């Protein structure tokens, strides 16, 4: 019998919590609430710019680092991110391992006007509808957590609701699946979700496998402008940053320092080949 990975354990907890929310609020009620949701904000025009963008994260803790920061009011941090020029704000909504909630997402939505990413372990249609009802404009889909049919269904639903999917990959096989899916926004996470180890070479290894017309986001291992410059040289148009920002005494300045660096423009034939 195989030993459950960290990802397996997290998803198991997510499913338990999801079942409890579904019991309290049926899907039909969630769908009815969509009529009152803010209009969707499209993050892609900003993320397609020729210089780096930052997706800044509201993140209290993580399985790999434990406690990161006390964030009693996520709106204060989100406002600082927006003031620093963040292209989007990522809000952790997983409670057990990350200390987040949908209430955080709702509060941030009411406080800022930039696109919001619901960052969670999304495994069901209910969570996608839930994200839109709470004001999200983007939804994270982790390829490692989904089979092909589920990935396709959830990706299609995200699009049907007008949102953008950030499709996260960790290796060559997952990258192939994301490319085949047609994902416009591909996040390359340097952190192995089975072991929590970070491999700094992951982005550079996988970026050439993604067609040049997609938008690449570097995730994990971003500690400052030097890291952003390295990822930008490898083709990242955006970086998703949590720990370095929540621990910084001036998050607005930290976002600003990571924004606007030149991005390497891939050749028209780059990407898409997994030899």
């Amino acid at each position: 019998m195989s030993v459950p990975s960290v990802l397996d354990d997290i998803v198991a907890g997510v499913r338990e919590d999801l079942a409890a929310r579904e019991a309290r609020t049926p899907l039909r009620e969630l769908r009815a609430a969509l009529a009152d949701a803010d209009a969707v904000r499209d993050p892609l025009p900003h993320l397609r710019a020729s210089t780096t963008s930052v997706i800044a994260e509201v993140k209290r803790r993580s399985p790999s680092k434990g406690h990161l920061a006390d964030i009693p009011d996520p709106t204060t941090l989100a406002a600082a991110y927006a003031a620093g020029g963040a292209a989007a704000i990522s809000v952790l909504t997983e409670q057990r391992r990350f200390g987040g909630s949908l209430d955080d997402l709702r509060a941030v939505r009411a406080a800022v006007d930039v696109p919001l990413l619901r960052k969670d372990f999304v495994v069901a249609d209910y969570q996608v509808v839930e994200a839109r009802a709470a004001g999200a404009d983007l939804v994270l889909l982790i390829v490692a957590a989904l089979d092909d049919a589920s990935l396709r269904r959830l990706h299609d639903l995200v699009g049907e609701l007008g949102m953008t999917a950030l499709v996260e990959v960790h290796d060559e096989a997952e990258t192939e699946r994301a490319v085949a899916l047609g994902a416009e926004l591909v996040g390359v996470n340097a952190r192995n979700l089975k072991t929590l180890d970070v491999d700094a070479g992951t982005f550079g290894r996988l970026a050439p496998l993604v067609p040049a017309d997609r938008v690449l986001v570097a995730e994990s291992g971003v500690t400052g402008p030097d890291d952003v410059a390295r990822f930008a040289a490898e083709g990242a148009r955006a970086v998703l940053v949590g720990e370095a920002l929540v621990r910084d005494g001036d998050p607005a300045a930290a976002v600003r320092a990571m924004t606007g660096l030149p991005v390497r423009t891939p050749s028209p034939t780059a990407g898409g080949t997994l030899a």
Side-chain angles (χ1 to χ4, degrees):
M1 182 181 295
S2 62
V3 177
S5 68
V6 175
L7 178 60
D8 293 332
D9 287 341
I10 292 174
V11 169
V14 163
R15 289 189 182 279
E16 287 183 21
D17 294 341
L18 171 61
R21 295 198 305 277
E22 286 183 293
R24 289 194 302 269
T25 307
L27 181 58
R28 64 179 181 278
E29 291 184 21
L30 264 188
R31 285 193 172 276
L34 295 181
D36 299 321
D38 284 359
V40 179
R41 294 156 175 82
D42 184 1
L44 286 173
H46 196 156
L47 295 175
R48 287 188 181 280
S50 59
T51 57
T52 55
S53 297
V54 175
I55 302 174
E57 196 152 81
V58 177
K59 184 177 187 179
R60 293 185 177 89
R61 63 176 187 257
S62 73
S64 60
K65 296 294 183 68
H67 176 79
L68 297 174
D70 293 317
I71 307 175
D73 180 8
T75 65
T76 301
L77 181 59
Y81 289 160
I89 295 174
S90 169
V91 181
L92 262 299
T93 60
E94 197 279 337
Q95 193 277 325
R96 297 189 185 204
R97 300 293 190 100
F98 293 88
S101 72
L102 280 164
D103 285 340
D104 287 342
L105 181 61
R106 296 184 188 100
V108 172
R109 174 75 294 154
V112 301
D113 196 38
V114 300
L116 298 186
L117 166 69
R118 181 188 185 178
K119 192 163 184 229
D120 208 321
F121 296 79
V122 174
V123 293
D125 294 15
Y126 187 94
Q127 292 166 286
V128 175
V129 179
E130 198 176 44
R132 180 79 282 272
D137 308 288
L138 303 96
V139 174
L140 180 70
L141 298 179
I142 301 173
V143 173
L146 300 164
D147 60 31
D148 283 342
S150 297
L151 179 61
R152 171 66 64 182
R153 187 186 73 252
L154 293 170
H155 184 265
D156 288 349
L157 179 57
V158 169
E160 287 167 14
L161 294 180
M163 296 185 289
T164 300
L166 172 57
V167 180
E168 180 177 293
V169 302
H170 303 83
D171 61 27
E172 285 80 358
E174 291 174 15
T175 303
E176 183 175 30
R177 292 173 63 196
V179 170
L181 181 70
E184 286 190 87
L185 190 60
V186 179
V188 177
N189 194 340
R191 188 177 302 283
N192 185 317
L193 291 186
K194 295 180 180 179
T195 66
L196 300 183
D197 295 331
V198 172
D199 178 356
T202 299
F203 186 88
R205 191 178 76 247
L206 300 184
L209 308 181
V210 179
D213 61 347
R214 317 293 174 90
V215 177
L216 279 167
V217 181
E219 305 176 29
S220 295
V222 181
T223 62
D226 288 347
D227 293 319
V228 179
R230 174 168 54 84
F231 287 128
E234 294 173 337
R237 292 193 176 276
V239 290
L240 192 154
V241 192
E243 179 185 347
L245 295 180
V246 300
R247 288 181 162 173
D248 195 290
D250 189 345
V255 169
R256 201 173 292 119
M258 298 181 191
T259 300
L261 303 178
V263 176
R264 177 187 65 82
T265 303
S267 65
T269 57
T273 301
L274 289 156

